[in-house]
Amino acid sequence: GGGNGTGIDMAWTNPAFIVGVGTFYPNGSAVSRGGYSTDSGATWTRFPSSPPTADNTGDHSKVVVTADGANIVWSVAGQVPYYSTDKGASWHATNLPAPAAAYNAAYHLAADRINPLKVYAYDHGGDFWNPPNSGRFYLSTDGGHTFKASIQNWMPFSFDNTDLAVNPYAEGDLWLADANNLWHSLDSGVTWTKLPGTQVGTGNTNLHGAKKVALGVQPVDPRVATEPRALPADEPSGGGHGVRSRLRLRHRAVEHGE
């Protein structure tokens, strides 16, 4: 019985289709399992099969579904992500490398909400003791089957201190938090711009600048006008382990704190 849900996503053009994954304990031993819903979560169907890596478990396992619902990409914690085109009846390995060697490491995944062929993957590089510049970003243009690495890299930080998000109203509009800085891409991650004013600490530190991304929109105009800011270092949250990062959107501010 029991378990933890670790990842959930919906098909943007068919929001009644939802996928979810998690760690479960059917016989006392932990396994990764997942399923889907076609009625907005009222009922669920377990995936008929799981990736061969599903015996590996961890709270960092994530899943995304492309905008049209045709492809599901599942990143089991610490493993190469797999994709399915038949609602989990079969799974196929992507060409992504295994994530950086770190406890409970995994890819941050995001599906473009406009282009159903684009899927994004961010390997956070492991924890701070991993090799420098081991954080990498990857773009898929075939629904999450194969990926190509961006030339941009980042210093390594833990999964919980990093994040990736997409603007659902613009193709290729991405936001990445590398634990200290907030980065923005308008070309599906081919190039990145570091936004000023967010870094708090570097290296082995318990204070971080941008570690989670939350996006909001003005109801009248969904285009996001951003003014990223980091709250002062004397306003920590989570027992001093992070500083809330704020995205100021047009006529609306959205905050996320850990």
Side-chain angles (χ1 to χ4, degrees), residues 175 182 195-200 209-210 212 226-232 235 243-249 253-256:
W175 296 87
L182 186 64
L195 279 73
T198 54
Q199 181 162 316
V200 175
K212 296 295 177 184
T226 62
E227 182 191 340
R229 300 174 59 188
L231 296 183
E235 295 189 35
V243 174
R244 292 180 297 176
S245 57
R246 171 185 296 172
L247 284 176
R248 185 174 298 279
L249 309 180
V254 178
E255 296 182 1
H256 187 104

Side-chain angles (χ1 to χ4, degrees), residues 47-73:
F47 290 146
S49 67
S50 299
T53 57
D55 285 345
N56 296 275
T57 60
D59 289 342
H60 302 330
S61 294
K62 299 299 176 183
V63 67
V64 295
V65 59
T66 52
D68 58 1
N71 296 277
I72 301 168
V73 184

